Structures are given as C-alpha cells and as structure tokens.
Amino acid sequence: MNVRTAMLESPVTTTPEETFPELLNRLLGSRQATAAVLDPEGRLVGLVGIHDVLRKIVPHYVDIDFKLMEVMHENYLVERMAGLKDTRVADFMTRKLDTVAPDDTLIKAAGIIVERCRKTLPVIEDGKFLGMVTRRSILETVGPTLL
Amino acid sequence: MTSETHAVAAAAGSGTYWLACSIFAISFLLIVSEKVHKTKVALLGAAATLGLSVLSQEEAFHSPHLGIDHSVIFLLIAMMIMINIMGRSGIFEWSAVRMAKLARGRPFPIMVVFLLFTAVFSALLDNVTTVLLFAPVTLLIADELEIDPIPFLIVEALASNIGGTATLIGDPPNLMIASRSKLGFMDFVVNLAPVVVVMLAALVAVTWVLFRKRLKVDDKRRDHILQMNEAKLIRDPALAKKSLFVLVLVTLGFATHGSTHIEPATIALCGAAVLLLISRLDAHRVLAEVEWPTIYFFVGLYVIVGGVVKVGLVSDLSRFVIDITQPTETSMFATSMVLLWFSGIASAFLDNIPYVATMAPMVSEMAVTVFQDGAAVSPVPLTTLHHPVIMPVWWALALGSCLGGNGTPIGASANVVVLGIAERSGRKISFLRFMAYGMPVMFLTLVISTFYLWLRYY
C-alpha cells in the first residue's frame, strides 16, 4: 500500500493572506483539522490547523504551570479569540513540515505521523502539492481489512 | 600566610605554579566565553588540577583551606531540596495572587509588592528559584491586566539580586564569603540588611519614575485580578503548611546560630531532611530536581581555586591589591572602595561565583599580611579574619559581587532565568533592554554602598 491509496485529493487549502476568521469558518465546516497553505503558484508553503489556533490563544507560560490557568477570568479564551480577528494565516502557520511522496509506502507515512506527533502529512510530487494524508485517512484505508 | 600556602609559595615561578595558573586562566576564559558549559569546564579544570598533581586528592577533598568547601556545597544542596519541596505546594503562586489582590489589582502597587516579596524570598531562599517560581505568575497577572510583563520581570530580577545580598544564604557569593571569613548569619544581616533596605527603597523610587505612568489599566482588568480564586493555586495545603513551618524553623536556626554554634549547613540539612520525611514525597523525584550542574560547578571551582591558592597566585594577587590600595592596620578604606567597584563591574560581565571563589581567599590572605605580617598560621585566627579593619572589606566584596550581577543579563543567574522565561513566553528581552534598566540600578546601588561603607565604617 502506498500513500496515494490513502491520500485526500481535495483537502482544505488556504493562502498566507487569507484572514483568520475566513479560514476558521471553512475549517469548522469541513471534517478536517488542518489546511494546506499554498502560494499563488500552488506550491505548498505551510500548514495551518486547529492546534495552531489554540497555540495562539493559550498563553505560553501554561507549560510552566498548568495550575495558573485555573484562576484566569471566565472569558479569557473568548477575548483572546477576538484578538485574532484581524490576523492572517501567515501569522500562525507552521512552516517546518514533514512531507511524503505519493509513491512512498503507507507505513512510512504512518511512522512519521506517530513518531513525530503529526496529524497531517502533505503529499508532494516534483514540488507540486497533490493532497494530504491524515491519521483518519490512513485508518479508513487500512481499517476495513479488519472489519 | 597559612602553613599550607607558605609551603608552596616557595614554588612560585616553578612549573607547578605556571601549571596551576594556566589551568585557572584557561578555565576562567572558557567559562567567560560560554562556548562550553561552565560545569564541564570546572570539572575538567578540577580533574587537571588533581591529575597533574597541582593539588593532592587529600588536599582537594579534606583540606579546609585548599579543598572543596563542603559546608557551602551541603548548604546549597539542602536549600535546593527545601525550596523544591516548597515549590510543589503552590504557596508562591498563592502568595503572589494574594498580594496582587491586596494591591487592589493596580499595576504599580503590584509591581512594588512583587519587588519586595521577591527581595524577601531571595534573602531567605536562593534567587534563581525565587524568580523561577515568581515569573510564571507574574506573566499571568500581566496577561490578565493586558500590560507588558517585561518591566515586572526585569524589576523582579533586580530585586532578587538586591534582596539576596542581605543574608548569608541569599546569594552564592555571600555563602562563599561566609565560609571563608567564618562570619555568621546575623553578621550578614546586621551589616548588609540595612543598606539593602535603602537600596530596595531606591529601586521602588526608580520604578515609580520609570513605570507609574505606563502602568495604567481600566477597572475591568483590575476586576480580573480581584476575582481570582487564589485558593485554587495551592496544590497541597498540608505541604504548604509543613514547608512554611520548616522554613521558619530553619530561618530561626540561621538567626540564632551565633549563640547555638550550629553551623548553617547543619541547620539547612536538618531542615531538608525533616521536610523530605514529612512531605512524604518520593526522594528520587525531589533529589533529581537539585541543580546538580550548579553543585558540581562549585565543586570544580573549589579545586581549581585551591590549586592557585596553594601555589601562591592568590597571595601574589593579594600583595598586588595591597600595593595599589596601601591598607594599614588602622584603615583599609581604599581597599574597600577598590574591591567594591571592581567586584561590581567585574560581576556584571563575569560569573560572580568563580570571581568570589578567588577573591574570598585573597581577602583572607590580605588580612594575614596586614595583621600578622604574613606569619604562617593555619587556620587563620578569627581575630585576624574578623579584625574590625578587615570587616568592611568583606562587606565591600559581598556588596560588589552581589550587586554587580544586576548590570547585564549575564551578570546573575536570576537574570538568565528571567530572560529565558520571557523568551519562552514569546516576550524576548534583549541584552540592551535589560542593561538599560540593570546598569543604572547597578551603579545606583554601588553608589549607595559606597556611602554606606564610608559612613558606617570610616
């Protein structure tokens, strides 16, 4: 089995210039948690997902002391979210990526996802973005053999 | 000059002399360069000192004059154990939020109470852990008030270094000075705490001038602080009570050790052992959190400095300072002033731990030269180490080396920690931004120290 068999061919895509509310609207309307960020030539420049949004609204010092979050005011998250109104995808997309090729084995993609704690891997061939392989798409491909 | 140093001073200029000096110089340069971790450098320097027979193993491990100062090492370990256990209770975070509420959520009063609280805890515990425990809750408060946390963090680092100057256990230079000079906890409190109080008042005045106008928030933000339920921050109420109980006992032990004659390291070890037992925490977990790299840094340094004390370099340095400052048996004013300012400026750019590790024995040598005509007696009698004329020199060394740390981000470990936390939280403090606050405060406190030493001792 190769990556092509589990690849989502029409994943959610965005551009670095798209505003955050526009992207959020489309992500929440899809079943996907991550969007591929493409430049005007259709080349992959990054990924942006629900986790990046949460990372943006959860303060960084939480990793020092989780207990501190218990005394924050009730609307903290809502206010932080409102602060993202004018931000763009480029402000919080991830630029360091792991990618796979369509002919790579599916076990290689699954291995990268597990070992590097990725949720989504972009599929690239000759520098061109083809689609995404996700944890769910892998299981949807492999899972039926068990059922 | 002691018998041990006397025996080898004859070897000055010999191969061993230059070997010890080279190990010392190379280690010092490598520590300053920060190319290799300072603990690795110190341990390698110590290994070379022993391996090349500059110092025998017996001298390094057991000589009170040349070897590892076990009282400093065990005092540090014990304090680290206690503060580690205490930190797990959530008492620091609880206190910080409580104080912010007492300040009615107003930013400038919060800054002042945090400044004073950091200073007091830094005097009783170590500076690094104090700022390490305070910084996250400071970020939370600033976040809730929607104000820049950087001034708060910088002021806390500065207050921590000033507060730590007040006591024997407050800052590592004082620990090393105390051990070498045989001065007690109350000697430090009586001689340094008054000037530290003046400096803290000056720091409050500086922060008032710099920040009072910038720190304005609306009532809604203040309400966020006033509505915080700090009780949620106490992770373990029983542990908080036990920790405070032991800390009070240990502080009382330090304060009375002049009359009980129980050494500070013994008191701290008793406190650590009792707290470890009654906390019921896993010993492996608590001991794993001791800052072993710092402990081994001290171990390595003591051996390296023991080498240069043995071959006479420190005596040479002492003679050099004596030649420049011309101390007499009745006054060492110039020596105090030179040492205060030189230590201050040097400690802003160098690690003050190796600096004091070298300078404390040097002051001891100076006392021997001035008051005993260099006559070899080991150990150096207390009448010499505590001679009223040498006392201000010890205080000048303590003030200079502790306060100099405020000058730059690398001057003190507390500064490094604060910068690290700020960067992790996405609020990088540049070298120059820290210096813009640190340098003026360093000079201000050194000027206050100059007047204090002059008025009180001369």
Side-chain angles (χ1 to χ4, degrees):
Chain A
M1 261 181 211
N2 61 19
V3 165
R4 200 184 297 275
T5 57
M7 185 173 81
L8 303 174
E9 288 178 358
S10 314
V12 178
T13 61
T14 178
T15 63
E17 287 73 36
E18 189 174 29
T19 66
F20 167 67
E22 288 166 353
L23 170 70
L24 188 64
N25 189 33
R26 288 192 300 115
L27 268 184
L28 294 177
S30 76
R31 285 182 68 207
Q32 291 171 42
T34 309
V37 187
L38 305 178
D39 69 8
E41 282 78 45
R43 284 181 304 234
L44 182 75
V45 289
L47 287 180
V48 62
I50 303 286
H51 183 82
D52 299 304
V53 178
L54 283 177
R55 180 69 275 175
K56 202 77 179 167
I57 59 176
V58 172
H60 282 268
Y61 52 87
V62 49
D63 68 333
I64 306 172
D65 192 345
F66 284 104
K67 204 81 180 150
L68 292 177
M69 305 303 112
E70 291 187 26
V71 296
M72 285 178 154
H73 71 276
E74 214 176 323
N75 290 325
Y76 183 89
L77 277 185
V78 175
E79 286 177 17
R80 290 285 292 231
M81 196 62 141
L84 297 182
K85 192 170 165 246
D86 298 322
T87 55
R88 293 183 181 276
V89 168
D91 296 330
F92 48 93
M93 68 187 202
T94 304
R95 291 180 168 83
K96 278 186 184 171
L97 304 173
D98 289 313
T99 60
V100 283
D103 295 327
D104 280 339
T105 58
L106 199 54
I107 181 64
K108 179 185 171 188
I112 294 172
I113 283 174
V114 169
E115 291 304 323
R116 298 193 181 157
C117 296
R118 304 290 185 214
K119 293 183 182 64
T120 307
L121 288 178
V123 185
I124 305 281
E125 189 174 47
D126 300 329
K128 196 173 165 224
F129 174 71
L130 296 184
M132 306 257 244
V133 57
T134 68
R135 295 189 286 200
R136 174 177 278 273
S137 75
I138 292 174
L139 284 183
E140 280 174 351
T141 307
V142 182
T145 56
L146 180 74
L147 303 173
Chain B
M1 197 179 295
T2 67
S3 56
E4 283 158 316
T5 52
H6 186 75
V8 197
S14 69
T16 314
Y17 181 89
W18 291 115
L19 196 56
C21 293
S22 306
I23 294 169
F24 177 78
I26 293 168
S27 304
F28 216 98
L29 286 174
L30 280 173
I31 290 168
V32 171
S33 76
E34 295 183 346
K35 296 278 182 213
V36 187
H37 191 279
K38 62 184 185 179
T39 304
K40 291 183 185 175
V41 176
L43 287 179
L44 197 65
T49 304
L50 289 172
L52 298 170
S53 300
V54 173
L55 221 54
S56 71
Q57 187 174 297
E58 179 65 20
E59 286 167 327
F61 293 171
H62 302 297
S63 160
H65 188 66
L66 300 173
I68 298 160
D69 194 332
H70 294 98
S71 50
V72 170
I73 301 296
F74 282 103
L75 183 52
L76 278 169
I77 293 173
M79 293 306 290
M80 285 175 186
I81 292 172
M82 277 191 282
I83 199 165
N84 177 273
I85 296 175
M86 208 171 173
R88 289 165 189 260
S89 70
I91 187 83
F92 285 94
E93 295 85 344
W94 177 87
S95 317
V97 171
R98 188 94 197 101
M99 284 185 301
K101 286 172 83 167
L102 285 174
R104 309 298 308 155
R106 289 167 299 166
F108 183 70
I110 290 178
M111 183 180 266
V112 173
V113 288
F114 277 20
L115 178 163
L116 296 175
F117 201 71
T118 314
V120 170
F121 267 90
S122 296
L124 298 177
L125 302 164
D126 83 283
N127 301 356
V128 171
T129 321
T130 303
V131 295
L132 201 61
L133 290 167
F134 251 69
V137 76
T138 302
L139 289 167
L140 166 78
I141 300 279
D143 197 10
E144 287 285 12
L145 289 171
E146 287 194 7
I147 50 176
D148 185 6
I150 303 298
F152 283 80
L153 292 175
I154 293 177
V155 164
E156 280 168 23
L158 299 178
S160 159
N161 294 324
I162 294 174
T165 311
T167 65
L168 183 156
I169 49 160
D171 215 357
N174 285 2
L175 272 179
M176 289 187 287
I177 291 168
S179 194
R180 181 63 66 166
S181 64
K182 311 291 175 211
L183 287 162
F185 186 84
M186 287 313 288
D187 293 320
F188 278 80
V189 171
V190 168
N191 289 281
L192 296 179
V195 68
V196 164
V197 171
V198 175
M199 288 173 199
L200 289 173
L203 184 60
V204 170
V206 169
T207 53
W208 187 75
V209 171
L210 288 175
F211 302 122
R212 78 180 192 285
K213 285 186 181 159
R214 281 165 54 187
L215 298 175
K216 296 269 190 235
V217 295
D218 58 33
D219 288 348
K220 188 181 151 207
R221 297 279 146 212
R222 285 174 52 195
D223 278 346
H224 287 163
I225 305 295
L226 296 174
Q227 283 164 13
M228 280 182 176
N229 180 4
E230 67 272 23
K232 286 185 177 175
L233 292 172
I234 294 278
R235 292 183 199 86
D236 187 339
L239 186 61
K241 284 177 196 156
K242 289 173 190 171
S243 307
L244 280 178
F245 174 69
V246 171
L247 181 68
V248 168
L249 284 186
V250 166
T251 308
L252 279 175
F254 287 149
T256 54
H257 86 107
S259 44
T260 59
H261 303 294
I262 305 173
E263 291 297 319
T266 305
I267 295 164
L269 273 174
C270 290
V274 169
L275 190 55
L276 194 56
L277 179 75
I278 62 176
S279 71
R280 299 185 184 185
L281 290 168
D282 179 46
H284 279 282
R285 277 179 61 202
V286 175
L287 293 178
E289 301 266 327
V290 169
E291 292 162 53
W292 294 110
T294 305
I295 300 297
Y296 280 101
F297 179 53
F298 274 84
V299 168
L301 274 177
Y302 273 121
V303 177
I304 297 170
V305 172
V308 288
V309 170
K310 181 180 173 182
V311 299
L313 176 71
V314 173
S315 307
D316 293 345
L317 191 64
S318 148
R319 273 192 293 277
F320 174 70
V321 177
I322 288 171
D323 286 346
I324 294 176
T325 59
Q326 298 291 321
T328 65
E329 283 184 41
T330 52
S331 175
M332 295 179 86
F333 179 71
T335 314
S336 302
M337 291 302 127
V338 167
L339 207 57
L340 171 72
W341 282 88
F342 182 75
S343 304
I345 292 164
S347 300
F349 297 97
L350 304 177
D351 193 329
N352 58 11
I353 294 169
Y355 172 78
V356 175
T358 317
M359 297 308 267
M362 188 206 78
V363 174
S364 170
E365 295 279 348
M366 279 173 62
V368 171
T369 309
V370 173
F371 305 115
Q372 294 178 195
D373 290 330
V377 181
S378 180
V380 183
L382 289 184
T383 47
T384 302
L385 288 174
H386 296 179
H387 193 287
V389 174
I390 199 80
M391 291 293 277
V393 181
W394 288 120
W395 306 133
L397 177 61
L399 288 165
S401 53
C402 293
L403 299 170
N406 272 338
T408 67
I410 53 163
S413 312
N415 309 355
V416 177
V417 167
V418 160
L419 258 67
I421 290 179
E423 190 167 357
R424 251 172 80 183
S425 67
R427 304 270 192 165
K428 197 170 179 199
I429 306 175
S430 71
F431 201 93
L432 288 178
R433 185 167 182 196
F434 187 95
M435 274 181 73
Y437 299 113
M439 267 296 167
V441 169
M442 180 193 92
F443 277 106
L444 177 66
T445 52
L446 288 178
V447 167
I448 292 172
S449 303
T450 304
F451 279 104
Y452 174 75
L453 290 174
W454 181 49
L455 289 172
R456 181 157 179 185
Y457 302 103
Y458 297 103

